[in-house]
Amino acid sequence: MTLPIIKTLEDCADFSKTVEPFLPQLYSFPARLLDAIKGDESFLKLYATTNPLISGFAISLILGAVFLVAADINGNYSQVDRFWSLLPTFYIAHFDAWARLAGIPSKRLDLLLLWSTVWSARLTFNYWRKGGYGIGHEDYRWEIIRQHVPKWAFHIFNWTFISFYQSALLYSIAAPAYIILLTSRIEPEITSSDVAYLSIQLGLILTEYIADHQQWVYQSAKKQYQQSSRVPSGFKQADLDRGFITSGLWGRSRHPNFAAEQSIWFFLYQWSCYASKTLYSWAGVGAALLILLFQGSTWFTEYITSGKYPEYRDYQREVGMFVPLGFSSYKGPGVKVPKVIRTSELAKKMEQNKKQK
């Protein structure tokens, strides 16, 4: 049996019915994979007769081992980073392909794959233009961590968090697609709700693109200014001397791109909840862990940034990390908002002046 027997949409999100019965397949997967490598069993049969949630998770563990070996050989710990923008879409494509192979309606999964492909294209492009795929490129935070922890401790950190945990996380945020695959057996056609969720996802991706583009334009101008000592057109010297962007979306959120990124995977989970007519399910674990990761990662990034730029602490006090604190944009230190004088107050002050004369 490769898929659970379900009778209602609610059953599609039931862990005891849709996940737990297939866990033994995970334990037998290494032996079956070895048989496929030796030729005793075809890879297609292995793939088709393994529950897609289990096979997807097994793939994430195999990739974790690959990332681990590559990191130790190269001494570069950004191996997962190079695949971050690709793997969630790969896993959604896996569920889509498995559904087609099993003869399950895949229209709703096609929608997931559509926005996920757009998401991958945007993030991959942004990572590429920042030099992420360059030989030897590594996230600067890993070097800082290596300087503050023993070598053996960092190796444990690589084994547990960098390679395996992050690889499994990238799978878990895409796992709600499994629930949508199951619901497609009962409700195969695309609904207006599916279109609404698709629109939300594309809108969040557009928000990410705008935020990243604003950051790119600012950083490019700052680099040009530092090299030539000339202020590029459209910028003020004070803004570039500050060292970080505070305009556009960044004037209301310190990390608008991160806010949108977390929302994207949270809404995929919500999409699966709506499809299965449940308030919550096990599939929310991936989105929850991603949000926790962003909390810690963003805190560490801001800790470094606040040490580089004196004004950043003022920026932190006035602008929310992810969610805007108000409607106004960042004003900067020492910028006072003009006091609004009411007509009655003005008349009273004029009357007092007349009396004094």
Side-chain angles (χ1 to χ4, degrees):
M1 184 174 68
T2 56
L3 285 181
I5 298 174
I6 54 174
K7 297 180 180 180
T8 66
L9 289 172
E10 289 82 357
D11 286 345
C12 298
D14 190 330
F15 183 87
S16 65
K17 295 179 180 179
T18 62
V19 180
E20 194 172 355
F22 303 98
L23 292 179
Q25 291 188 1
L26 180 62
Y27 311 139
S28 62
F29 189 85
R32 293 191 63 193
L33 179 61
L34 184 60
D35 288 339
I37 294 174
K38 292 189 299 183
D40 296 337
E41 181 181 6
S42 71
F43 283 100
L44 181 60
K45 181 181 178 182
L46 172 62
Y47 183 73
T49 57
T50 304
N51 176 274
L53 184 72
I54 299 300
S55 58
F57 182 63
I59 292 171
S60 74
L61 295 181
I62 294 172
L63 289 176
V66 172
F67 295 144
L68 175 66
V69 173
D72 282 339
I73 291 177
N74 297 317
N76 184 310
Y77 297 88
S78 280
Q79 305 304 319
V80 179
D81 298 341
R82 290 178 170 81
F83 290 87
W84 189 282
S85 65
L86 303 174
L87 286 180
T89 297
F90 167 78
Y91 292 125
I92 291 176
H94 151 66
F95 287 115
D96 196 353
W98 196 96
R100 290 174 180 275
L101 187 63
I104 297 173
S106 61
K107 292 180 181 179
R108 304 174 84 185
L109 290 167
D110 291 342
L111 285 188
L112 268 62
L113 187 57
L114 171 62
W115 69 257
S116 186
T117 300
V118 176
W119 172 84
S120 283
R122 184 212 66 82
L123 187 56
T124 301
F125 168 73
N126 193 59
Y127 189 67
W128 166 79
R129 69 175 175 178
K130 293 193 297 184
Y133 293 107
I135 298 176
H137 179 272
E138 184 184 50
D139 189 322
Y140 68 95
R141 291 171 296 187
W142 297 143
E143 177 60 30
I144 293 175
I145 293 176
R146 283 200 295 267
Q147 293 174 358
H148 290 82
V149 300
K151 189 175 182 179
W152 62 266
F154 189 82
H155 278 294
I156 294 177
F157 184 61
N158 179 37
W159 272 78
T160 55
F161 176 79
I162 298 178
S163 296
F164 281 101
Y165 179 82
Q166 288 193 117
S167 181
L169 175 62
L170 291 172
Y171 172 67
S172 65
I173 61 176
Y178 174 63
I179 293 180
I180 295 177
L181 182 154
L182 296 178
T183 62
S184 295
R185 293 195 292 171
I186 299 175
E187 194 174 74
E189 297 300 322
I190 295 172
T191 67
S192 58
S193 299
D194 293 323
V195 176
Y197 274 108
L198 172 66
S199 301
I200 291 172
Q201 297 293 62
L202 293 176
L204 288 169
I205 294 171
L206 178 61
T207 301
E208 283 187 307
Y209 173 78
I210 293 172
D212 284 336
H213 183 67
Q214 289 174 345
Q215 180 73 259
W216 175 260
V217 170
Y218 174 84
Q219 294 297 335
S220 299
K222 186 177 76 169
K223 183 178 180 180
Q224 182 181 341
Y225 167 64
Q226 291 173 340
Q227 292 175 345
S228 65
S229 298
R230 295 180 180 179
V231 179
S233 176
F235 289 88
K236 296 180 181 179
Q237 182 176 345
D239 290 332
L240 299 177
D241 286 336
R242 182 190 303 113
F244 58 93
I245 184 173
T246 62
S247 58
L249 295 177
W250 302 82
R252 293 172 172 79
S253 169
R254 302 202 301 272
H255 303 280
N257 51 348
F258 290 175
E261 180 68 12
Q262 295 169 82
S263 299
I264 284 172
W265 299 105
F266 175 76
F267 273 106
L268 174 59
Y269 160 60
Q270 285 298 303
W271 194 342
S272 72
C273 287
Y274 189 88
S276 58
K277 297 188 183 301
T278 55
L279 291 176
Y280 56 88
S281 74
W282 59 267
V285 171
L289 292 176
L290 181 71
I291 291 172
L292 288 176
L293 175 63
F294 267 98
Q295 303 304 311
S297 175
T298 306
W299 173 86
F300 185 49
T301 300
E302 290 202 335
Y303 173 77
I304 298 171
T305 304
S306 61
K308 293 168 59 178
Y309 307 115
E311 192 180 321
Y312 199 79
R313 295 191 183 278
D314 295 307
Y315 180 57
Q316 287 177 305
R317 283 191 291 269
E318 191 172 326
V319 179
M321 179 182 287
F322 301 122
V323 181
L325 299 179
F327 294 103
S328 60
S329 185
Y330 178 66
K331 299 295 189 304
V335 179
K336 297 182 179 180
V337 178
K339 181 181 178 181
V340 177
I341 303 177
R342 300 178 184 275
T343 305
S344 58
E345 293 177 351
L346 182 60
K348 187 176 180 180
K349 182 172 286 189
M350 292 176 65
E351 186 65 28
Q352 289 176 348
N353 292 336
K354 287 182 180 179
K355 290 182 179 179
Q356 291 177 357
K357 292 180 179 178

